[in-house]
Amino acid sequence: MAVDVLTEIEIERPRTEVAAYASDPDNATAWYENIVAVEWKTPKPLAVGSRIAFVARFLGRRLAYTYEIRELAPGERLVMSTAQGPFPMETTYEWADAPGGGARMALRNRGEPSGISRIAAPLLARAMRRANRKDLERLKALVESRS
């Protein structure tokens, strides 16, 4: 069973500001509750082909994986993926202008779990949906509080 989780939020800041903050891997530990470390594996700035290593804690497990940037349209779309571990995944961020001058951000995680993770796919999807909702709320609070 594939996992495909889409979560969206409106943030009362300009789209370009939200996108710049959210797409910067150096900010990931501030707004992703489960990400505990980020390490650039390729030189900055972020570009197609950039590789960034993440360490996360999810469902009581330590996960280490490296994302590769597959698509980057600044202020509009970022797609990154990893083929490592028991749950290869693709993460997509999309930004659009929202009514009133704010931004609408969509966060999508999808992948095909293998091994024992395949059995737990429905649990993974629910946990991912909860975590994504909390992370986007945290992102919203951080970006809206910036001057």
Side-chain angles (χ1 to χ4, degrees):
M1 167 186 269
V3 172
D4 191 347
V5 175
L6 174 65
T7 311
E8 297 179 319
I9 196 166
E10 283 195 22
I11 299 173
E12 297 304 318
R13 299 297 294 167
R15 175 179 45 86
T16 55
E17 184 180 330
V18 174
Y21 187 87
S23 65
D24 183 346
D26 291 328
N27 294 329
T29 58
W31 68 276
Y32 273 106
E33 183 177 42
N34 295 322
I35 294 180
V36 296
V38 175
E39 180 185 353
W40 287 81
K41 295 297 188 179
T42 53
K44 295 177 184 181
L46 195 66
V48 171
S50 293
R51 290 186 341 274
I52 301 98
F54 292 88
V55 175
R57 298 220 46 88
F58 186 65
L59 297 177
R61 295 183 57 196
R62 179 187 182 277
L63 304 172
Y65 51 91
T66 300
Y67 268 124
E68 183 170 334
I69 304 303
R70 302 287 183 197
E71 188 180 330
L72 179 60
E76 296 175 14
R77 184 175 165 89
L78 168 66
V79 180
M80 53 190 161
S81 65
T82 180
Q84 298 172 303
F87 189 23
M89 186 166 52
E90 178 182 88
T91 298
T92 302
Y93 301 159
E94 290 185 311
W95 302 278
D97 292 328
R104 181 151 196 83
M105 180 172 170
L107 168 58
R108 183 179 187 188
N109 289 311
R110 61 184 176 158
E112 187 73 43
S114 60
I116 193 71
S117 296
R118 169 174 251 136
I119 296 166
L123 170 67
L124 285 171
R126 281 192 300 277
M128 209 178 284
R129 190 169 287 109
R130 270 192 313 275
N132 286 356
R133 199 170 18 254
K134 286 170 64 176
D135 293 337
L136 287 178
E137 288 291 337
R138 197 169 176 177
L139 175 67
K140 176 182 174 73
L142 282 168
V143 174
E144 288 181 354
S145 71
R146 295 168 51 129
S147 55

